Amino acid sequence: MATSAVASPLATDPTAGPVRSVRDVVPTDLWDKQIGLLQRDYPYDSIMAARVLGQGYAYLLSAMQHRGESLELAPSTLVDIGVHTIILDTVAYAELCDRFNGGRYLHHVPKVAFKNDGSVMKTAYRVAADGWEVDLSLWADAAECGPCHPGNDSH
């Protein structure tokens, strides 16, 4: 079976079920705005910006889906850039929390020290298992990431 150039081994894992795209969740005007913000703030072309933003949304949506489960989910450094772009647009982020987090705001509580405990790759697998498309190369810096507050309803 041939896979597309964008698909990762995680996204095509049959145990993960069908792959969902965050583009089906995020309104086009908001997506375009946030792509523009990433291109303004980082040396990204539109393709890289879309990859980073998409993984940021997939991570946040999985974190919301697993609220209260103390899974200690953590994004990679690159995925976290997408997360920050999303959460800094506070009105749109509050609306995302309303839709996908039971109306509760999912707080961002970063830690100062990075951890090297496998939590980032565990998170990538959790995101894939939740059915979201995973771009594994953006999760590859796992050894240097995972600074988010463990064991509570934040990311």
Side-chain angles (χ1 to χ4, degrees):
M1 176 172 94
T3 59
S4 72
V6 179
S8 74
L10 293 178
T12 58
D13 180 353
T15 63
V19 177
R20 299 185 291 169
S21 172
V22 297
R23 294 294 286 129
D24 296 332
V25 173
V26 182
T28 300
D29 58 335
L30 177 61
W31 180 265
D32 292 344
K33 175 186 174 184
Q34 291 175 335
I35 293 295
L37 291 169
L38 279 165
Q39 288 182 283
R40 180 193 73 189
D41 296 340
Y42 297 92
Y44 296 159
D45 61 17
S46 61
I47 294 169
M48 183 63 173
R51 291 173 62 204
V52 168
L53 187 63
Q55 294 302 279
Y57 270 108
Y59 165 75
L60 285 171
L61 291 166
S62 283
M64 290 176 187
Q65 180 177 336
H66 296 285
R67 174 182 74 242
E69 295 180 25
S70 299
L71 295 179
E72 299 188 21
L73 302 177
S76 68
T77 301
L78 285 171
V79 174
D80 203 37
I81 290 170
V83 169
H84 290 169
T85 299
I86 296 162
I87 67 176
L88 288 174
D89 193 346
T90 59
V91 172
Y93 181 59
E95 291 171 0
L96 186 76
C97 291
D98 283 344
R99 270 181 75 195
F100 295 99
N101 201 40
R104 293 180 217 127
Y105 198 80
L106 181 65
H107 291 279
H108 185 53
V109 185
K111 302 284 272 181
V112 173
F114 289 116
K115 57 186 177 178
N116 184 4
D117 65 356
S119 60
V120 172
M121 288 313 292
K122 178 182 84 172
T123 300
Y125 279 94
R126 177 74 266 155
V127 171
D130 288 345
W132 296 110
E133 187 173 43
V134 171
D135 185 339
L136 190 55
S137 65
L138 296 184
W139 296 84
D141 63 353
E144 299 298 327
C145 290
C148 295
H149 191 271
N152 67 10
D153 282 346
S154 63
H155 63 90

